Structure formats: structure tokens, C-alpha cells
Amino acid sequence: MRITAFDKALKVRKENSNLFSKTQVDTLSSSLIALKQKQQSDLRVKIINWIGKGWLIQIGFWVVLIFIYPKSSQVQAIFFWNPKVRKILGLWYVDLALTWIPFLRYKLFIPFKDSLLSDAHLDTFDVHTYFANSDVKLQGSTDIKSIREAIPEIKEQVILEGESGLGKSMFLRHLVKSSQRIVVYLPAQKCAQGVIEAIKDKLHGHVKEDPNFLEILIYSGAIDICIDGLNEVTPDTRANITGFVERYFKGNIILATQPLEWTPPSNAQTYIIQPLNQEQIEQFLVSRQEILPSNASVKGSDYEQACKNYLATILSQPQSEEEQKAIRRMLSNPMELTVVALMIAQREKPNLLNLQQQQYEMMAEDYNRLYFAKIFPLEAFSETVYQMRLNDESAIPPEEWLEELQCMERHKMVISRQLVDFEEKPTKKWNFRHDKIQEFFIVQTFLGEQKDNRVTEHISDPRFRGVYFLLATTIPIDDAKNLREMLIQYAAETKDHTVSDTFIQLVRSRQT
């Protein structure tokens, strides 16, 4: 057993107590006790210093790692997305810090930012040509506000509702492009297995090895969420999305949809995009100068005056009430108005009641001229487009249709994107500029020999909702009436009126 200096001193004191006075003995005892207390205090200070240095080294180690993390897949895999290593080396505080400190959450998702936004196609989004002067109205209110004022950022839960072509997707892309936070852009079709699963599919590599931590991060607000095209998915998928939004009630989520019958999330506000008014129509037409092709016949001030003359003429013509409504509906739709702008720039007179057919005919005529009297292969190309919709593919295969795509791009029917393939070689990807253009070609496959089969086959498929609306305005009126009856019967049996109600209105406008 170890004998300390203090114990020896006490022993000496006892052996020699008779040699000292009581005062001397007490003084010596007090000094020895003070010495022992100082030794203990010094030891505590050393232990605290050691612990403090250990904490500083440990914290410094993780601070260095978080700054290396975005560029090092090894650091991502070993330290941050490996739950065992993160919990052992990070003790209790690293998980807590990563979950609740916004800066650290942001850092965690930086390596996946491009993947999270891949479906937004931001490389083809031009902020200079985006028309930001649309208006919205809060559901249940009569107040109309600028969309920029009503929804300045992705915050809380918002539903953006509007007819096809009013600019829902463009506005979402605008929000995503301007956001300083981490955002994921999801087509609703990719949420069939759930929103969390759709986000996981966009996060590559090591993240999937720690799904529980990922879910905690998402529910803590690490990612803002945009989901587009709710009208294009099944009721079950919409129910999955609705359930997620209601559980994730503290998150920032925006959903976009065309009008349809459904039960929206109870905690979300719905804003309805308003058709453009007359002043906005003129502003929009004039602003399209930025996207006019280089070979446009009318440009600059001549183009501006041509737009004003066209509007003055078309709005002053004597028309029936239904014709006026149809023309107003077309002119107040930015997608349709873009086609009008392109035609004005080519000195063409837009036919608002058959605009897509007219745009196709202009493109086909140009194709015929460019490729030495070659006829545009409408039937074969349309079948390819139909198969794309069936397989949920958005990219048009260029190997088969390069000449056609190049001509369609000249007429703003498709857009191209420069990408790099797996072998680091540059490649091009082609997409339709809008679903309505794709649906024009799909409709062609419903008109030939496959007509009866395809009309009945896809009646319950939400991906073909817009195709049925186009059929209502293009097929012979008697065929449209027969299809209307079929849709009414389907709605009565299934209680699903997402197609039938609008189809009935479109056929009624034709009859009037």
C-alpha cells in the first residue's frame, strides 16, 4: 500500500507530539491539509484541461470533416452516412448538430444538389424570358395578387392550381432556380411509392445505407420540396403525397396541379393561377422577342406594333359569346400565346381555335423545304411519342428522329439540353417544350386504326388526361359526343370525374 507524504507527516506528528506545543501541532496540520487540497485541485485542473483539449480536438476533427465532406466521397461514406462510425466517433452531439443546425444540414446535401433538381431541367430555364407578371387568387377569397407577392419563396405548404399552360411548372422552376436552400423537384409520377422513396432515389451512393437518418433530416426541414403534376397520377399516388404533406406539416412544400376532384392536404393553402388579362397579354407577347428565332421576319419595334395590331383586330371582331370565351381562353394562356408570338413573327395569322394543328403544319412545311420535299413522318413519330408516355419517358430518342427534332426545335416545339454521358462524352437530350405539344402527337395515334382500342384502354389513365381534352376539340362532333357518353358512364361507375366534367364543357362549347 502506497504511503503518501501526508500520511508520513501525520505519523511523525504522533511519534513526536510530545516534542511540540499544541499550537505548533495545529499549525503544521493545517499546512499539511492545505497542501493536500492544493494537490487535489491541481489534479482536477489537469483532468479538466485534458478533457477540454480532447473536446476541442474532437470538435475540430468534425469541423474539418464537414468542410472536406462536399468534395470527398470517402468522407461522406466513412464518417457521415455510416451510422455506426458517426455515432461512435461523434458521441451524442454530432447527430443532434447535423439534424438541427441549418448550416450543417445544408452542407450534408450539397453533393446531391444537382441530382435533386435534375427533373427541373434548370439548364434550359432562362430567367430573362420568364414572364413573372401572372396573378393568383387564394381559394375562397376574391383578392387577386401578383404570384410573386403571394408566393415569394417555398415556405410552409402551398398548392398551386391552374389550367394546362398557365405556367405552373415554369413558376416552380423559377422558385427552385432562385432558392438559396436545398430543394428537391419531383414529378408526381415518381412519388408512386411515396415521397420519401422518390427523394431516396435521387440520392446516390452512401446515403441509402442510412435511411433512418435521411428521414430524420427530411422531417427536420433539411430539404424544401416541389411536386409537380398531381393531376397526372392515380388517386392512390395523390393520397400518398397528401399523407406525406400532412405528416410533414412543418416542412416547406409546394404542389402544382390542374383543377381536379381530390382531397388536398388540410394544412395547405391553395392559390389559383388567373388567366392573363388584356394588359398582361400584350406584355407577354412583346416579351417573347427574347425567344424569337434568328430568322424571324418581324422583329424589334415592328414586332411590337404587329402584336398590338393583332390583339386590336382579334378582340374587336364580331363573335358569338362562346367564340369570345374560347378566344379569350387561348389568349390568356401563356403556352398558347407563345405559339401566337412565333406566328406573328413569321407574318402568319394565328388560328386560335386550331392553334396546335397550325403550328404543326408550319413546322411540317419547313421540314419539307429543308429536306428536299421529304414529308414529315407524322404517324411513325407519333407512335414513338405515344410509347414514351406509356413508359413514362420524357426524352425523345435522337437516333431515330434527329432531322425531325432539329426542325421542331426551330419552331420551338422541342428544346435540347447539352449533357455528358457515362463515358464523359458530350451528348444532347431532347424534350417537348410543353405537355400540350406532346399530346398533339399522341392524339394522332388515337385517330387511326388503333382509335377504338386506345380510347377505351386509357380512359382511367391520368397520364392521358390532356389527350382526352384535345380529342374533345379535334375529333368529329359526333365522335366527341359518343366519347362523352363513355366518359360519363365511367365517371358514374368510378366516381372519378377528373376527365368527364371538363370534356363535357369542351364538347358543349363546340356545339354552341
Side-chain angles (χ1 to χ4, degrees):
M1 182 176 179
R2 184 179 178 184
I3 301 175
T4 65
F6 181 74
D7 294 329
K8 288 180 181 179
L10 286 178
K11 185 177 179 182
V12 170
R13 174 193 151 191
K14 289 177 182 178
E15 291 174 351
N16 300 284
S17 59
N18 58 325
L19 300 178
F20 301 96
S21 67
K22 185 176 184 303
T23 301
Q24 291 173 320
V25 170
D26 290 342
T27 301
L28 179 60
S29 298
S30 299
S31 300
L32 291 173
I33 291 172
L35 177 63
K36 183 173 183 179
Q37 288 175 342
K38 185 178 184 304
Q39 290 175 337
Q40 291 174 338
S41 176
D42 290 344
L43 180 60
R44 283 196 298 270
V45 169
K46 286 182 180 179
I47 292 172
I48 291 171
N49 286 337
W50 290 338
I51 292 173
K53 289 178 181 178
W55 272 107
L56 288 175
I57 292 171
Q58 218 265 354
I59 293 172
F61 172 74
W62 282 99
V63 168
V64 170
L65 286 181
I66 197 69
F67 281 97
I68 297 174
Y69 169 88
K71 297 181 180 179
S72 173
S73 57
Q74 289 84 3
V75 169
Q76 295 167 22
I78 296 171
F79 294 100
F80 287 89
W81 294 103
N82 186 321
K84 292 183 180 179
V85 173
R86 189 180 67 248
K87 291 179 184 299
I88 292 171
L89 294 184
L91 304 178
W92 56 269
Y93 74 91
V94 170
D95 270 13
L96 192 65
L98 291 173
T99 303
W100 296 109
I101 298 178
F103 170 76
L104 298 181
R105 292 199 305 252
Y106 180 83
K107 279 285 187 182
L108 275 183
F109 287 98
I110 279 290
F112 316 108
K113 191 171 183 179
D114 290 342
S115 177
L116 291 169
L117 295 177
S118 59
D119 285 307
H121 302 317
L122 296 182
D123 53 334
T124 63
F125 180 79
D126 188 349
V127 294
H128 300 296
T129 61
Y130 171 66
F131 186 74
N133 293 337
S134 296
D135 294 328
V136 293
K137 181 174 68 172
L138 182 64
Q139 192 173 60
S141 170
T142 57
D143 292 337
I144 294 178
K145 294 182 179 180
S146 163
I147 193 169
R148 292 177 297 176
E149 178 187 350
I151 315 174
E153 59 183 337
I154 306 169
K155 190 174 182 181
E156 300 178 342
Q157 289 81 39
V158 171
I159 299 168
L160 185 62
E161 180 183 300
E163 296 289 349
S164 176
L166 286 182
K168 300 180 297 297
S169 297
M170 289 293 286
F171 180 69
L172 291 192
R173 294 170 73 194
H174 162 70
L175 284 181
V176 167
K177 183 87 171 179
S178 58
S179 177
Q180 300 301 311
R181 291 170 49 82
I182 296 294
V183 186
V184 59
Y185 183 100
L186 295 170
Q189 292 174 347
K190 293 191 175 182
C191 300
Q193 304 304 316
V195 177
I196 294 288
E197 290 301 318
I199 296 174
K200 286 180 184 176
D201 288 343
K202 286 184 166 290
L203 300 172
H204 45 80
H206 329 292
V207 180
K208 295 184 179 180
E209 297 173 12
D210 196 2
N212 292 334
F213 183 52
L214 174 61
E215 290 190 27
I216 291 171
L217 287 170
I218 292 172
Y219 280 102
S220 67
I223 303 177
D224 293 344
I225 300 172
C226 288
I227 303 179
D228 193 12
L230 265 73
N231 53 285
E232 299 173 2
V233 298
T234 64
D236 287 343
T237 300
R238 280 197 296 274
N240 283 339
I241 294 171
T242 297
F244 171 80
V245 175
E246 290 183 338
R247 291 192 304 275
Y248 186 38
F249 60 93
K250 289 187 178 180
N252 299 320
I253 307 174
I254 184 166
L255 312 176
T257 180
Q258 292 180 23
L260 76 163
E261 289 187 12
W262 68 307
T263 303
S266 57
N267 45 310
Q269 287 188 313
T270 299
Y271 286 92
I272 302 170
I273 299 185
Q274 302 300 295
L276 302 181
N277 59 39
Q278 188 164 338
E279 181 181 354
Q280 291 169 330
I281 290 170
E282 183 175 321
Q283 290 175 353
F284 185 90
L285 276 177
V286 171
S287 72
R288 295 308 89 190
Q289 285 198 76
E290 298 288 344
I291 66 166
L292 294 180
S294 57
N295 64 341
S297 302
V298 186
K299 297 180 180 179
S301 58
D302 291 339
Y303 170 78
E304 291 186 23
Q305 189 59 50
C307 290
K308 294 176 181 178
N309 293 343
Y310 171 75
L311 289 177
T313 301
I314 196 70
L315 295 175
S316 63
Q317 289 178 349
Q319 297 152 341
S320 69
E321 184 178 349
E322 287 300 325
E323 284 178 324
Q324 288 177 358
K325 287 181 180 179
I327 287 172
R328 278 283 185 179
R329 184 170 64 245
M330 298 291 283
L331 286 177
S332 62
N333 186 304
M335 184 268 165
E336 310 285 10
L337 208 52
T338 299
V339 179
V340 170
L342 294 171
M343 291 183 180
I344 291 174
Q346 297 295 352
R347 300 187 189 279
E348 296 284 341
K349 184 178 179 181
N351 179 358
L352 292 178
L353 301 180
N354 201 15
L355 201 57
Q356 288 180 321
Q357 179 67 32
Q358 186 180 6
Q359 183 186 25
Y360 165 75
E361 289 172 356
M362 288 175 60
M363 183 277 297
E365 182 180 342
D366 192 23
Y367 178 87
N368 181 267
R369 183 175 60 255
L370 285 172
Y371 299 109
F372 311 103
K374 188 177 177 181
I375 297 174
F376 188 90
L378 177 60
E379 185 176 339
F381 181 77
S382 297
E383 184 62 28
T384 296
V385 177
Y386 167 75
Q387 295 298 331
M388 285 170 52
R389 180 63 62 90
L390 275 184
N391 298 319
D392 293 325
E393 297 171 353
S394 60
I396 310 166
E399 316 83 45
E400 304 174 52
W401 308 108
L402 184 58
E403 290 180 346
E404 289 75 14
L405 290 172
Q406 289 173 338
C407 186
M408 292 171 69
E409 186 174 30
R410 283 164 52 90
H411 291 265
K412 307 298 181 183
M413 298 178 78
V414 299
I415 53 177
S416 62
R417 303 166 58 210
Q418 293 288 347
L419 302 172
V420 177
D421 62 18
F422 293 112
E423 298 178 355
E424 300 297 321
K425 295 179 180 178
T427 184
K428 242 182 184 181
K429 188 175 181 180
W430 305 79
N431 299 88
F432 285 104
R433 190 172 62 83
H434 195 275
D435 284 345
K436 281 194 170 189
I437 299 171
Q438 183 178 13
E439 286 160 358
F440 168 81
F441 289 101
I442 295 175
V443 160
Q444 311 310 312
T445 70
F446 280 59
L447 303 178
E449 295 178 359
Q450 300 290 338
K451 171 184 171 183
D452 293 336
N453 291 338
R454 289 189 177 171
V455 165
T456 55
E457 180 182 354
H458 299 297
I459 199 168
S460 62
D461 192 334
R463 295 174 298 177
F464 290 85
R465 184 173 181 264
V467 174
Y468 284 91
F469 296 157
L470 194 53
L471 285 169
T473 61
T474 55
I475 60 177
I477 188 65
D478 289 339
D479 291 343
K481 290 178 181 179
N482 292 335
L483 181 52
R484 177 188 61 187
E485 293 306 313
M486 188 187 303
L487 290 169
I488 290 172
Q489 293 298 324
Y490 172 79
E493 293 172 3
T494 62
K495 310 301 181 187
D496 181 3
H497 295 260
T498 54
V499 175
S500 61
D501 291 358
T502 302
F503 192 95
I504 291 169
Q505 294 171 2
L506 291 170
V507 174
R508 184 185 300 150
S509 66
R510 285 186 68 185
Q511 290 176 293
T512 305

